[in-house]
Coordinates of all heavy atoms in Angstrom, one line a residue:
R230 N 14.1 -0.3 9.9 CA 13.6 -1.4 9.0 C 13.2 -0.9 7.6 O 13.5 -1.5 6.6 CB 12.4 -2.1 9.7 CG 12.7 -2.9 11.0 CD 11.6 -3.7 11.4 NE 11.3 -4.8 10.5 CZ 10.3 -5.7 10.8 NH1 9.6 -5.6 11.9 NH2 10.1 -6.7 9.9
F231 N 12.5 0.2 7.6 CA 12.1 0.8 6.3 C 13.3 1.2 5.5 O 13.3 1.1 4.3 CB 11.1 1.9 6.4 CG 9.8 1.4 6.9 CD1 9.1 1.9 8.0 CD2 9.1 0.4 6.2 CE1 7.9 1.5 8.5 CE2 7.8 0.0 6.6 CZ 7.3 0.5 7.7
L232 N 14.3 1.8 6.2 CA 15.6 2.2 5.5 C 16.3 0.9 4.9 O 16.8 1.0 3.8 CB 16.5 2.9 6.5 CG 17.8 3.3 5.9 CD1 17.6 4.3 4.7 CD2 18.7 4.0 7.0
I233 N 16.3 -0.1 5.7 CA 16.9 -1.4 5.2 C 16.1 -1.9 4.0 O 16.7 -2.4 3.0 CB 16.9 -2.5 6.3 CG1 17.9 -2.0 7.4 CG2 17.3 -3.8 5.8 CD1 17.9 -2.9 8.6
M234 N 14.8 -1.8 4.0 CA 14.0 -2.2 2.9 C 14.3 -1.4 1.7 O 14.4 -1.9 0.5 CB 12.5 -2.2 3.2 CG 12.0 -3.2 4.3 SD 10.3 -3.0 4.7 CE 9.5 -3.4 3.1
Q235 N 14.4 -0.1 1.9 CA 14.7 0.8 0.8 C 16.1 0.5 0.1 O 16.2 0.5 -1.1 CB 14.7 2.3 1.2 CG 14.9 3.3 0.1 CD 13.7 3.4 -0.8 OE1 12.6 3.7 -0.3 NE2 13.8 3.0 -2.0
V236 N 17.1 0.3 1.0 CA 18.4 -0.1 0.5 C 18.4 -1.4 -0.3 O 18.9 -1.6 -1.4 CB 19.4 -0.2 1.6 CG1 20.8 -0.7 1.1 CG2 19.6 1.2 2.2
A237 N 17.6 -2.4 0.3 CA 17.5 -3.7 -0.4 C 16.8 -3.6 -1.7 O 17.1 -4.2 -2.7 CB 16.7 -4.7 0.5
L238 N 15.8 -2.6 -1.8 CA 15.1 -2.4 -3.1 C 16.1 -1.8 -4.1 O 16.1 -2.2 -5.3 CB 14.0 -1.4 -2.8 CG 13.2 -1.0 -4.1 CD1 12.6 -2.1 -4.8 CD2 12.1 0.0 -3.7
W239 N 16.9 -0.8 -3.7 CA 17.9 -0.2 -4.6 C 18.8 -1.3 -5.1 O 19.2 -1.3 -6.3 CB 18.7 0.9 -3.9 CG 17.9 2.1 -3.6 CD1 16.8 2.5 -4.3 CD2 18.1 3.0 -2.6 NE1 16.3 3.7 -3.7 CE2 17.1 4.0 -2.7 CE3 19.0 3.2 -1.6 CZ2 17.0 5.1 -1.9 CZ3 19.0 4.3 -0.7 CH2 17.9 5.2 -0.9
I240 N 19.3 -2.2 -4.3 CA 20.2 -3.3 -4.7 C 19.5 -4.2 -5.7 O 20.1 -4.6 -6.7 CB 20.7 -4.1 -3.5 CG1 21.5 -3.2 -2.6 CG2 21.5 -5.3 -3.9 CD1 22.0 -3.9 -1.3
L241 N 18.2 -4.5 -5.4 CA 17.4 -5.4 -6.3 C 17.3 -4.7 -7.7 O 17.4 -5.4 -8.7 CB 16.1 -5.7 -5.7 CG 15.1 -6.6 -6.5 CD1 15.7 -8.0 -6.6 CD2 13.8 -6.7 -5.8
Q242 N 16.9 -3.4 -7.7 CA 16.8 -2.7 -8.9 C 18.1 -2.6 -9.7 O 18.1 -2.8 -10.9 CB 16.2 -1.3 -8.7 CG 14.8 -1.3 -8.2 CD 14.3 0.0 -7.8 OE1 15.1 0.9 -7.4 NE2 13.0 0.3 -7.8
F243 N 19.2 -2.4 -9.0 CA 20.5 -2.4 -9.6 C 20.9 -3.7 -10.3 O 21.4 -3.7 -11.4 CB 21.6 -2.0 -8.6 CG 22.9 -1.8 -9.1 CD1 23.2 -0.7 -10.0 CD2 24.0 -2.6 -8.8 CE1 24.5 -0.5 -10.5 CE2 25.2 -2.4 -9.3 CZ 25.5 -1.4 -10.1
R244 N 20.6 -4.8 -9.6 CA 20.9 -6.1 -10.1 C 20.0 -6.4 -11.4 O 20.5 -7.0 -12.4 CB 20.6 -7.2 -9.1 CG 21.6 -7.3 -8.0 CD 21.2 -8.4 -7.0 NE 22.2 -8.5 -6.0 CZ 22.1 -9.3 -4.9 NH1 21.0 -10.1 -4.7 NH2 23.1 -9.4 -4.0
K245 N 18.8 -5.9 -11.4 CA 17.9 -6.1 -12.6 C 18.5 -5.3 -13.8 O 18.4 -5.8 -14.9 CB 16.5 -5.7 -12.3 CG 15.7 -6.7 -11.3 CD 14.3 -6.2 -11.1 CE 13.6 -7.2 -10.2 NZ 12.2 -6.8 -10.0
V246 N 19.0 -4.2 -13.5 CA 19.6 -3.4 -14.6 C 20.8 -4.1 -15.2 O 21.0 -4.1 -16.4 CB 19.9 -2.0 -14.1 CG1 20.7 -1.2 -15.1 CG2 18.7 -1.2 -13.7
L247 N 21.6 -4.7 -14.3 CA 22.8 -5.3 -14.7 C 22.6 -6.7 -15.4 O 23.4 -7.1 -16.2 CB 23.8 -5.5 -13.5 CG 24.4 -4.2 -12.9 CD1 25.3 -4.6 -11.8 CD2 25.1 -3.4 -14.0
T248 N 21.5 -7.3 -15.0 CA 21.2 -8.6 -15.6 C 20.7 -8.5 -17.0 O 19.8 -7.8 -17.3 CB 20.1 -9.3 -14.8 OG1 20.5 -9.4 -13.4 CG2 19.8 -10.7 -15.3
P249 N 21.5 -9.1 -18.0 CA 21.1 -9.0 -19.4 C 19.8 -9.7 -19.6 O 19.4 -10.7 -19.0 CB 22.2 -9.7 -20.1 CG 22.8 -10.7 -19.1 CD 22.7 -10.0 -17.8
A250 N 19.0 -9.2 -20.5 CA 17.7 -9.8 -20.9 C 17.9 -11.1 -21.6 O 18.7 -11.2 -22.4 CB 16.9 -8.8 -21.8

Side-chain angles (χ1 to χ4, degrees):
R230 292 188 68 176
F231 289 125
L232 178 60
I233 292 172
M234 290 178 67
Q235 186 68 65
V236 173
L238 174 61
W239 288 336
I240 295 174
L241 181 64
Q242 292 174 336
F243 184 67
R244 286 179 176 175
K245 287 182 178 179
V246 170
L247 293 182
T248 303

